[in-house]
Amino acid sequence: MSFSSFHPNSFLNFLDIIHNCHIIIIDWIQKLCQQINADQSPPRSFKELSAQIRKRLQDDDAKNNEYRMLLTLASEGHRIPVEMTELKLLKFELEAREWSLETKKMLTLGNKKFKSEDVCAHLEKGASLQNKFPLTDDDDNISTLRYEEDLKQLIQKANIWLDKYKQSFGDDNAQSSASDSKPHISIQLITDLINQSNQMPIHLGPPLSKLSSISSKIDSWLHNHSSVLSHCQNPIQNYHKSNPPNPCQIQSALAEAPTHLPVTLTEITHLKSLLETAQKLSE
């Protein structure tokens, strides 16, 4: 465009647009600061602004006034055709709040248990969210999400549980049905693993289903022969304790022992040793 074709009115109109946009931006930022600074001094940096927004969003009630007003403010900010760090921070903190609320549900022990793969995917989502944090700062804690460390600890506990399972049961896919190839597992170990899983708000998949199936099949046997099974820890020594079971009781327990299981119960092996001891002593 040549200087001769330049119209002063166009320039003045452009200045008016810039001026009006500037007023809108200042007004929006003031609204944000007033919303988050009701009882504290204005933020002196973007880092402080982020911290104050997060403090206002600490209430986990999705219907609280602070959350709804900041959500409305973010919507207004999106309509301003200018990139603002303040808006990016507000948007990040609102998304971080939603992530944290979902994380809190995953950490709460209740009727619903989340799949382990869903929990891991949610943690990855949190990592992606942190990568969108609009500030670059040496302080890594500035973008830390609420409940993030708790979620990592939960996943770590689940992995430890799965390692214990694999150490005892091996690879489920590789096991055959032959009795001598089945893992030898104690009822106490099965009970401990199930109890530990009950304390975690995460579903541990096929391994837990397998343990629960085994447990349901041996419950009645445990109940009917509890007195005999109490001597199975050390068949020889325990037989000499008071009220030892007689051979008939042991044979009855062995006859009713659940054998169609994907594992060999060590208690059954001990019962056989206990029966040999009882028979020798009764001769």
Side-chain angles (χ1 to χ4, degrees):
M1 180 178 68
S2 65
F3 184 76
S4 60
S5 64
F6 180 78
H7 297 286
N9 288 339
S10 298
F11 181 69
L12 291 175
N13 289 338
F14 179 72
L15 287 179
D16 284 341
I17 293 173
I18 296 296
H19 177 69
N20 291 335
C21 191
H22 177 72
I23 292 175
I24 293 173
I25 293 171
I26 295 300
D27 180 62
W28 186 88
I29 292 175
Q30 286 179 343
K31 282 183 181 179
L32 175 62
C33 291
Q34 288 171 1
Q35 183 62 37
I36 64 174
N37 299 325
D39 53 1
Q40 53 189 320
S41 59
R44 293 167 294 182
S45 65
F46 286 132
K47 180 178 176 180
E48 194 170 310
L49 174 65
S50 179
Q52 289 185 5
I53 294 173
R54 183 169 300 193
K55 184 177 181 181
R56 287 295 179 185
L57 292 171
Q58 288 295 307
D59 189 349
D60 287 342
D61 183 0
K63 296 181 180 179
N64 73 80
N65 288 333
E66 297 289 349
Y67 171 71
R68 286 189 284 110
M69 292 181 73
L70 287 174
L71 200 60
T72 300
L73 203 55
S75 180
E76 293 175 3
H78 282 301
R79 292 194 291 270
I80 300 174
V82 176
E83 189 175 280
M84 295 182 290
T85 301
E86 292 87 350
L87 177 59
K88 290 182 179 180
L89 286 172
L90 178 57
K91 182 182 178 182
F92 173 84
E93 293 299 343
L94 287 168
E95 290 183 8
R97 179 184 186 275
E98 292 303 313
W99 185 91
S100 296
L101 286 177
E102 185 65 19
T103 305
K104 186 178 181 181
K105 292 179 184 177
M106 291 182 169
L107 294 169
T108 302
L109 193 62
N111 294 329
K112 180 179 180 180
K113 287 197 172 189
F114 291 83
K115 295 180 180 178
S116 57
E117 55 266 32
D118 291 340
V119 176
C120 291
H122 186 66
L123 185 62
E124 291 178 4
K125 181 180 177 181
S128 298
L129 176 59
Q130 289 182 82
N131 289 333
K132 295 194 295 183
F133 189 67
L135 301 183
T136 55
D137 198 289
D138 293 334
D139 185 0
D140 293 333
N141 293 326
I142 190 172
S143 62
T144 300
L145 301 171
R146 290 175 68 200
Y147 308 121
E148 179 186 12
E149 289 304 316
D150 295 322
L151 191 64
K152 288 180 179 178
Q153 290 177 14
L154 173 60
I155 293 174
Q156 184 179 26
K157 284 177 63 177
N159 287 334
I160 291 173
W161 188 94
L162 289 170
D163 285 342
K164 287 181 180 178
Y165 173 87
K166 290 177 181 177
Q167 287 172 7
S168 302
F169 288 81
D171 185 356
D172 288 340
N173 296 325
Q175 289 177 18
S176 69
S177 59
S179 177
D180 58 355
S181 67
K182 294 180 182 179
H184 289 250
I185 305 297
S186 70
I187 294 173
Q188 187 60 54
L189 176 61
I190 295 172
T191 302
D192 288 345
L193 286 172
I194 291 176
N195 288 339
Q196 290 169 17
S197 72
N198 290 337
Q199 299 304 312
M200 287 186 279
I202 183 172
H203 195 281
L204 295 164
L208 179 59
S209 299
K210 179 177 178 177
L211 290 177
S212 299
S213 175
I214 295 172
S215 179
S216 65
K217 292 175 181 177
I218 64 177
D219 275 347
S220 60
W221 184 61
L222 287 174
H223 181 267
N224 295 336
H225 302 282
S226 57
S227 60
V228 177
L229 290 169
S230 66
H231 293 77
C232 284
Q233 194 65 33
N234 190 318
I236 298 177
Q237 292 182 8
N238 287 339
Y239 191 80
H240 295 283
K241 292 183 177 180
S242 58
N243 300 319
N246 59 51
C248 290
Q249 290 175 310
I250 302 172
Q251 288 174 335
S252 175
L254 280 170
E256 296 179 18
T259 54
H260 299 292
L261 298 174
V263 298
T264 298
L265 297 176
T266 55
E267 284 77 6
I268 295 178
T269 303
H270 290 163
L271 277 177
K272 292 176 180 179
S273 298
L274 192 66
L275 179 60
E276 290 179 6
T277 302
Q279 288 174 336
K280 286 179 181 179
L281 293 174
S282 61
E283 290 176 354

